[in-house]
Amino acid sequence: MVSSIIPIMVTVSQTLSSSTADMGQSLLAWLLPAIMGALLLSAGVEDARVREIANWKNAAIALLAPVWWCIIGLSPWPEMALQLGVALVVFALFIGAFAIGQMGGGDVKLIGALSLWLPPMRLLDTLLVMSVLGGVLTLVFVIERRWKPSETAVEVPYGVAIAVAGLISLTEPLLNQFRP
């Protein structure tokens, strides 16, 4: 299946690279991150409100990533393969957190989908920011629980930390691309 997808990606990439597609490619280079940002914002709000993230949002984020790869000119081998491999490793690591009850399934899927969009070093930065924000969020919820005792377990909407870290990661290169 992978061998049949790679020629399609190459064809799409070559088509988007042609001079007739330059204007559309430029528009997509801004539109796709905007859609991604809206999906992240929506996922964070949804997780804060109902402690769930809809599967369609995670799927949309993941499925838009290969289009993004073509827009930014990644080659199928090794760049697209590296993106996919790193995202699979990150997803597998966070499945471990899900397995021991530390994260929800929607959070893990959101991290995996977000990982498809970010180059490895930016992904590490994003995971660090996400961890710090998640720790702060957890402290806030634990402190709140001390003030308002309850018998239910503390449920931290970690999707909020993931969404904010992802938004920071997405806006940084868009806003700072004109720096010398």
Side-chain angles (χ1 to χ4, degrees):
M1 180 167 161
V2 172
S3 62
S4 64
I5 293 174
I6 291 177
I8 293 169
M9 291 296 204
V10 171
T11 304
V12 170
S13 180
Q14 289 170 345
T15 302
L16 290 174
S17 296
S18 70
S19 61
T20 59
D22 284 346
M23 187 171 165
Q25 187 175 359
S26 176
L27 176 64
L28 280 176
W30 283 90
L31 185 61
L32 284 176
I35 293 169
M36 167 69 156
L39 287 167
L40 283 172
L41 185 62
S42 175
V45 169
E46 181 179 13
D47 198 34
R49 296 178 85 193
V50 295
R51 303 298 191 271
E52 288 182 5
I53 300 171
N55 284 333
W56 72 266
K57 292 175 186 174
N58 291 326
I61 291 169
L63 292 172
L64 286 173
V67 178
W68 176 245
W69 300 341
C70 292
I71 295 297
I72 62 173
L74 295 185
S75 63
W77 182 260
E79 295 169 322
M80 288 183 190
L82 177 66
Q83 283 293 125
L84 184 59
V86 168
L88 287 173
V89 168
V90 168
F91 183 66
L93 290 172
F94 281 95
I95 284 176
F98 172 75
I100 61 173
Q102 298 301 305
M103 292 186 86
D107 300 331
V108 173
K109 290 180 271 187
L110 184 58
I111 292 168
L114 179 60
S115 298
L116 290 167
W117 281 74
L118 304 173
M121 293 311 294
R122 179 157 299 131
L123 177 60
L124 286 175
D125 292 343
T126 303
L127 292 174
L128 179 64
V129 170
M130 179 189 74
S131 298
V132 170
L133 292 173
V136 169
L137 197 56
T138 301
L139 284 174
V140 167
F141 275 77
V142 167
I143 290 169
E144 179 191 38
R145 183 55 55 97
R146 296 273 180 163
W147 288 343
K148 298 179 192 175
S150 175
E151 297 200 15
T152 61
V154 174
E155 282 190 38
V156 178
Y158 209 78
V160 173
I162 299 165
V164 171
L167 289 168
I168 291 169
S169 185
L170 284 177
T171 57
E172 192 277 327
L174 289 175
L175 298 178
N176 295 323
Q177 67 178 328
F178 303 110
R179 287 190 303 184

